[in-house]
């Protein structure tokens, strides 16, 4: 048989080691609130096990009652940490009720009607409630299969619940032999050792959840422009490669817009870089409001942006380009009045295939024409039949005049010609 003090000593060592890990995490990330709950949970578990150890030297069951209560509280704190991790209410009420009721019930079956089997059942139920609530939430998440931390936490939670149920049934039915205050029978000993291992794994799964989030945040930061909050060049190129591959497989075209802010250098020179940053942020907000959720706006250079439009044609691109050019006119007052946008529009074709650079070049050529012909407008790249055959000349369409509502409808000129227009005012 396995002595109960040995079990508690096992818990002290395990949870003290895990507590040191959380202390290290908190030292590096003091504002990471879930780590405080999880650190408190491991500390509470180690303290509870240490208090329960005193049962071997104190002729009173009080250390067992207090130690068991602290272990239940530790489980509840683990649940609260997970809820805070996912920005849910912490669950203080559940913690207070479960801890309080379990303490009273354990005391009753210790002092009033001494029954070790019922103590095991109460202890198991008290442990199972926060773990069951944790499992229910994790299983409700749509990303549970793609996030290793969520998957592991849910799996370990289910295993702990199964072991707790088996332990309760075994205690009530007397499976494995007699239960003694300071010694477990063989069945209970095996189940307790397994619970010790799973409890440690449950705590480690919280660490994995934290690592998953940290990794995802780092990946997100690597793909987002810090100043404007839109996608950066890396994300734009990744998405462009994906769209080229998808288009080559499905034959469904998509459109790219290359955007350059006119007058931006003058704003920086006259008003300072702070004003230039304000202009970039204002433009990004205004442009983003005019895009569908599946369109990607990216800042690819100092004052250069691009828009990737899945499942679209040059006509769709022209409509968005016009809307974005007009968006610049919404901003009033200095230095915003000095900013306008020139845009080049290019559509993926079978000739481009999976090479995104060719599409980028096409959009840049159209952008060059828009700027050359007065800025504050858009131009559309159209490959001529000879381009499709031998990469020869191209046709670039210039946006017609955009002076007010109803103006600027797309006109298709003859091959190798331009339609120009005065700027928007």
């Amino acid at each position: 048989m396995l002595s109960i003090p040995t079990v508690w000593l096992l818990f002290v060592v395990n949870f003290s080691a895990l507590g040191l890990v959380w202390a290290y995490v908190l030292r590096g990330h003091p504002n990471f609130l879930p780590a405080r709950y999880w650190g408190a949970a491991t500390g509470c578990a180690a303290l509870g096990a240490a208090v329960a150890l005193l049962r071997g030297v104190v002729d009173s069951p009080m250390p067992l009652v207090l130690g068991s209560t602290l272990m239940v509280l530790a489980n509840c704190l683990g649940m609260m940490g997970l809820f805070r991790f996912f920005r849910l209410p912490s669950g203080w009420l559940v913690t207070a009720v479960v801890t309080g009721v379990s303490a009273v019930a354990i005391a009753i079956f210790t002092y009033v009607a001494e029954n070790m089997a019922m103590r095991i059942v109460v202890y198991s139920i008290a442990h199972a409630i926060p773990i069951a609530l944790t499992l229910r939430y994790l299983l409700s998440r749509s990303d549970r299969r793609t996030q290793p931390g969520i998957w592991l936490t849910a799996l370990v939670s289910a295993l702990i619940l199964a072991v707790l149920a088996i332990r309760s049934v075994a205690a009530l039915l007397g499976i494995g032999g007699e239960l003694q205050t300071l010694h477990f029978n063989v069945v209970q000993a095996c189940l307790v050792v397994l619970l010790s291992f799973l409890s440690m794994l449950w705590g480690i799964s919280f660490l994995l959840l934290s690592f998953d989030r940290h990794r995802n945040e780092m990946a997100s930061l690597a793909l987002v422009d810090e100043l404007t909050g839109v996608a950066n060049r890396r994300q734009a190129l990744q998405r462009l490669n994906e769209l080229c591959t998808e288009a080559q497989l499905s034959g469904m075209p998509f459109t790219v817009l290359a955007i350059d802010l006119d007058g931006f250098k003058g704003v920086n020179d006259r008003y300072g870089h702070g004003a230039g940053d304000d202009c970039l942020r204002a433009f990004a907000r205004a442009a983003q409001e005019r895009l569908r959720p599946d369109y990607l706006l990216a800042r690819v250079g100092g004052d250069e942006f691009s828009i990737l439009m899945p499942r679209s044609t040059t006509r769709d691109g022209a409509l968005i380009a016009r809307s974005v050019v007009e968006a610049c006119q919404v901003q009033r007052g200095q230095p915003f009045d000095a900013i306008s946008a020139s845009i080049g529009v290019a559509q993926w074709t079978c000739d481009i295939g999976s090479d995104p650079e060719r599409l980028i070049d096409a959009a840049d050529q159209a952008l060059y024409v828009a700027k050359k012909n007065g800025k504050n407008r858009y131009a559309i790249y159209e490959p001529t039949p000879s381009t499709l055959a031998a990469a020869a000349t191209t046709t670039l369409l210039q946006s017609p005049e955009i002076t007010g509502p109803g103006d600027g409808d797309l006109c298709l000129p003859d091959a190798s010609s331009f339609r120009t227009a005065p700027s928007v005012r």
Side-chain angles (χ1 to χ4, degrees), residues 330-344:
V330 175
Q331 308 297 327
R332 296 301 179 190
Q334 298 295 347
F336 302 112
D337 283 346
I339 293 293
S340 61
S342 295
I343 304 177

Side-chain angles (χ1 to χ4, degrees), residues 314-384:
T314 50
R315 180 176 181 81
D316 302 313
L319 293 174
I320 292 296
R322 176 190 175 91
S323 180
V324 171
V325 169
E326 291 174 342
C328 289
Q329 310 313 311
V330 175
Q331 308 297 327
R332 296 301 179 190
Q334 298 295 347
F336 302 112
D337 283 346
I339 293 293
S340 61
S342 295
I343 304 177
V345 182
Q347 176 185 312
W348 179 91
T349 64
C350 294
D351 179 57
I352 290 174
S354 60
D355 184 5
E357 292 298 329
R358 299 183 65 181
L359 189 56
I360 294 173
D361 289 343
D364 284 342
Q365 289 182 47
L367 172 61
Y368 173 78
V369 170
K371 295 186 77 69
K372 180 181 177 181
N373 287 278
K375 304 181 179 179
N376 195 29
R377 65 195 68 218
Y378 65 88
I380 301 175
Y381 176 92
E382 287 285 352
T384 63

Side-chain angles (χ1 to χ4, degrees), residues 369 373 377 398-401 418-422:
V369 170
N373 287 278
R377 65 195 68 218
Q398 183 74 24
S399 62
E401 180 176 4
F418 299 105
R419 283 276 179 102
T420 60

Side-chain angles (χ1 to χ4, degrees), residues 45-228:
L47 177 61
V51 170
L53 267 174
L54 296 176
R55 181 64 180 89
V57 295
V58 177
D59 188 20
S60 169
M62 178 56 70
L64 282 179
V65 175
L66 183 56
S68 298
T69 302
L70 287 172
M71 295 294 288
V72 171
L73 176 58
N75 244 26
C76 291
L77 288 172
M79 172 200 70
M80 293 172 66
L82 184 132
F83 284 172
R84 295 305 300 157
F85 181 82
F86 290 108
R87 298 177 176 85
L88 300 173
S90 58
W92 273 111
L93 180 60
V94 173
T95 296
V97 171
V98 170
T99 304
V101 172
S102 64
V104 172
I106 291 173
I108 289 174
F109 290 114
T110 299
Y111 292 103
V112 180
E114 204 286 327
N115 189 322
M116 188 169 179
M118 286 304 301
R119 286 205 304 269
I120 291 175
V121 171
V122 170
Y123 182 79
S124 298
I125 292 175
H127 271 279
I129 291 173
I131 293 176
L133 293 175
T134 296
L135 179 62
R136 184 181 69 173
Y137 174 72
L138 293 175
L139 292 179
S140 70
R141 292 187 61 88
S142 59
D143 59 347
R144 64 184 183 276
R145 296 184 183 276
T146 59
Q147 297 293 328
I150 294 178
W151 181 86
L152 178 62
T153 307
L155 176 61
V156 175
S157 299
L159 291 175
I160 291 176
L161 291 175
V163 174
L164 289 172
I166 294 171
R167 188 181 180 216
S168 297
V169 172
L172 289 174
L173 299 180
I175 298 174
E178 182 183 1
L179 294 171
Q180 300 179 13
T181 303
L182 293 180
H183 291 87
F184 286 133
N185 59 41
V186 175
V187 172
Q188 289 293 329
C190 292
L191 291 173
V192 168
V193 171
L194 183 56
L195 278 175
S196 174
F197 169 76
L198 290 174
S199 298
M200 277 292 293
L201 195 56
W202 201 53
I204 292 172
S205 70
F206 295 152
L207 279 172
L208 187 56
L209 279 174
S210 304
F211 293 155
D212 284 347
R213 171 168 292 182
H214 183 69
R215 184 189 66 245
N216 292 338
E217 288 177 350
M218 291 300 100
S220 177
L221 288 175
L223 298 175
V224 174
D225 178 60
E226 184 178 0
L227 177 64
T228 61

